[in-house]
Amino acid sequence: MEVDRFLMPKLTGRRFEGHAIPLEFLKDLAVFEELILEVAKAKFLDDHPGRKRSPRGFTEGIELKLTAIEEGSALAIISLSGAVDSLFPTKGQTYFEHARESIVGAISAAELNEPVTAHLPERALAYFDRIGRSLRDGEAIELTTPQRQEPAKLTKASRRRLILASNAVKELTEVTSVRGLVPAADQDSMTCEVQLTDGRKIKAPIAAEHLETILEAFNGYRIGLRALLQGIGRFNRNERLLGFESLEDIVILDPLDISARLDEMRILKSGWLEGRGSPPSSEGMDWLSRTFPSEYPEELPLPHLYPTEEGNVRAEWSLEYNEASLEIDLATHEGEWHVLNLETDEEDVIKWNLDESESWRQLRDKVQLLTGGRA
């Protein structure tokens, strides 16, 4: 038996505009199969209250298969294949279809902030902890079925609502990255401690392939050597990072790493400068943390970043015989570029709107010119 187009998940977002499905999302599709089988069994038992378990062979030979990827989009076509128990082939197929509709209905309810337990039992919601955890802001898994043409969208927000709708769930996981120090590393237990920017410490496991990098960060702890750690983070119900379930990548950061330095500025309090000094606004820092690292390439000399007394950010470069700076106003998103040539006393002053990509292009050109054209 072959059921065409049993489920049609489509990935949407800038990351998927190349019309390809990242391999990491194949793991999500495998969990969908587990969830559908679990809900199908639960629905059978609901219809047969006298039974304690589903019939033998209820799921034997049944599997979901990725049978096609639609041309022109990141749309997977999943079919239900195999034969259910010969005593009830039609009913068996029906339970799998009902399970699919309940799952998609629950995702739609979560998207609309409606009760999801009207569609799925609480025990089934924990499966969503392994579905969609690599989704980023602005991305979604859209699900349509032969009975539902209006897509139900699984996003970071709706996934979280689905998981937390179960009172039994105390933690949830998702892909995350942090920048921090490594004050401790235990080679016996293959675990390490990561000190976050706010001073809090969390634990992470060490995979053999990352041991050398972890030890490098550990040995550089006292000189402030930071690392970027990416993996599956464990969060409580209040979105507080508790630790890492696994680490997938670790990179030693440049001492002038822009994102790490901006993270440090976020924890400044009022009066941070000998009783004076306004802290930078969180909204302004969110904007700058998104914009500066994406618009300024690592190949160019990295600036020293400093907070200003007024609550803004100043970037400084010492390039050849030139002292250059960029004063960044976090409220207006304006930048004032200033260069002083120490040999000739010549100055160059420009004001830019840093919401415009052209302004960042001019900044890149200016820095490269001051390095003699070298990256």
Side-chain angles (χ1 to χ4, degrees):
M1 178 186 66
E2 182 93 8
V3 180
D4 291 331
R5 296 178 179 268
F6 178 80
L7 190 64
M8 293 168 282
K10 179 180 180 181
L11 303 177
T12 62
R14 291 185 60 184
R15 194 157 48 121
F16 314 118
E17 290 175 356
H19 311 309
I21 296 180
L23 290 177
E24 62 183 334
F25 278 91
L26 297 182
K27 294 182 291 186
D28 295 48
L29 300 184
V31 181
F32 266 120
E33 180 179 39
E34 295 178 39
L35 176 57
I36 289 171
L37 294 177
E38 181 67 28
V39 176
K41 291 178 184 178
K43 288 192 171 294
F44 177 87
L45 295 177
D46 287 343
D47 288 348
H48 301 81
R51 300 192 61 133
K52 293 184 178 181
R53 61 182 62 88
S54 57
R56 183 177 308 215
F58 182 71
T59 62
E60 186 176 348
I62 295 293
E63 59 182 347
L64 296 181
K65 291 185 176 180
L66 178 62
T67 54
I69 296 178
E70 285 286 302
E71 186 175 351
S73 66
L75 173 65
I77 306 301
I78 298 175
S79 298
L80 179 68
S81 66
V84 291
D85 190 277
S86 58
L87 294 176
F88 49 92
T90 304
K91 288 185 178 179
Q93 175 182 331
T94 300
Y95 283 116
F96 284 98
E97 292 173 347
H98 287 174
R100 173 197 62 199
E101 297 303 320
S102 294
I103 292 166
V104 176
I107 292 172
S108 179
E111 179 191 357
L112 300 173
N113 209 15
E114 296 174 352
V116 300
T117 49
H119 302 269
L120 288 177
E122 280 196 28
R123 65 180 180 275
L125 298 175
Y127 282 90
F128 285 99
D129 190 47
R130 294 186 288 138
I131 299 174
R133 62 184 175 186
S134 59
L135 285 171
R136 303 173 186 173
D137 292 333
E139 296 179 350
I141 302 176
E142 296 185 355
L143 293 157
T144 56
T145 71
Q147 282 72 42
R148 180 190 288 267
Q149 298 305 309
E150 184 66 26
K153 298 180 181 179
L154 183 68
T155 63
K156 283 184 66 174
S158 62
R159 171 183 175 269
R160 186 175 181 82
R161 292 191 196 105
L162 283 161
I163 299 170
L164 297 183
S166 171
N167 292 320
V169 172
K170 304 303 180 185
E171 296 180 6
L172 65 156
T173 62
E174 61 183 43
V175 172
T176 191
S177 63
V178 298
R179 295 169 181 83
L181 304 168
V182 179
D186 189 332
Q187 295 185 66
D188 278 340
S189 63
M190 290 296 281
T191 60
C192 67
E193 208 170 56
V194 182
Q195 183 175 320
L196 306 180
T197 304
D198 61 5
R200 194 163 55 91
K201 297 176 181 178
I202 60 173
K203 288 191 175 296
I206 306 173
E209 61 268 26
H210 298 143
L211 179 59
E212 184 177 342
T213 308
I214 285 290
L215 292 179
E216 182 182 352
F218 169 69
N219 290 328
Y221 169 72
R222 294 197 178 279
I223 61 171
L225 187 63
R226 293 183 177 274
L228 173 65
L229 301 96
Q230 298 173 301
I232 305 299
R234 296 186 297 104
F235 295 81
N236 66 12
R237 295 178 71 94
N238 295 319
E239 300 187 66
R240 183 180 178 86
L241 179 63
L242 303 175
F244 276 96
E245 181 179 288
S246 63
L247 288 178
E248 298 172 357
D249 193 25
I250 305 170
V251 178
I252 300 297
L253 294 174
D254 188 290
L256 298 179
D257 182 77
I258 292 171
S259 296
R261 186 66 181 124
L262 292 177
D263 284 347
E264 293 174 359
M265 294 183 197
R266 287 178 179 273
I267 63 174
L268 293 175
K269 306 295 183 183
S270 182
W272 60 268
L273 183 63
E274 298 179 347
R276 310 184 312 278
S278 300
S281 69
S282 58
E283 295 84 0
M285 292 301 288
D286 286 344
W287 163 76
L288 191 59
S289 296
R290 287 193 309 269
T291 307
F292 207 144
S294 63
E295 293 283 1
Y296 189 86
E298 294 180 353
E299 293 76 14
L300 290 176
L302 294 175
H304 292 264
L305 295 181
Y306 303 99
T308 70
E309 185 177 347
E310 298 76 22
N312 294 314
V313 174
R314 178 182 174 91
E316 295 183 355
W317 294 260
S318 293
L319 303 168
E320 301 293 336
Y321 301 104
N322 299 282
E323 293 295 324
S325 65
L326 179 68
E327 294 275 353
I328 303 171
D329 190 312
L330 297 181
T332 64
H333 298 182
E334 291 182 346
E336 182 172 312
W337 169 258
H338 178 266
V339 178
L340 172 64
N341 186 304
L342 300 179
E343 286 192 326
T344 65
D345 287 336
E346 291 183 0
E347 292 185 278
D348 180 22
V349 179
I350 304 175
K351 288 191 175 182
W352 287 315
N353 177 359
L354 297 179
D355 282 326
E356 297 178 354
S357 292
E358 174 61 19
S359 296
W360 288 98
R361 186 194 66 77
Q362 291 182 32
L363 170 64
R364 295 192 295 268
D365 290 347
K366 290 286 186 182
V367 171
Q368 189 158 10
L369 180 64
L370 293 178
T371 62
R374 299 188 307 274

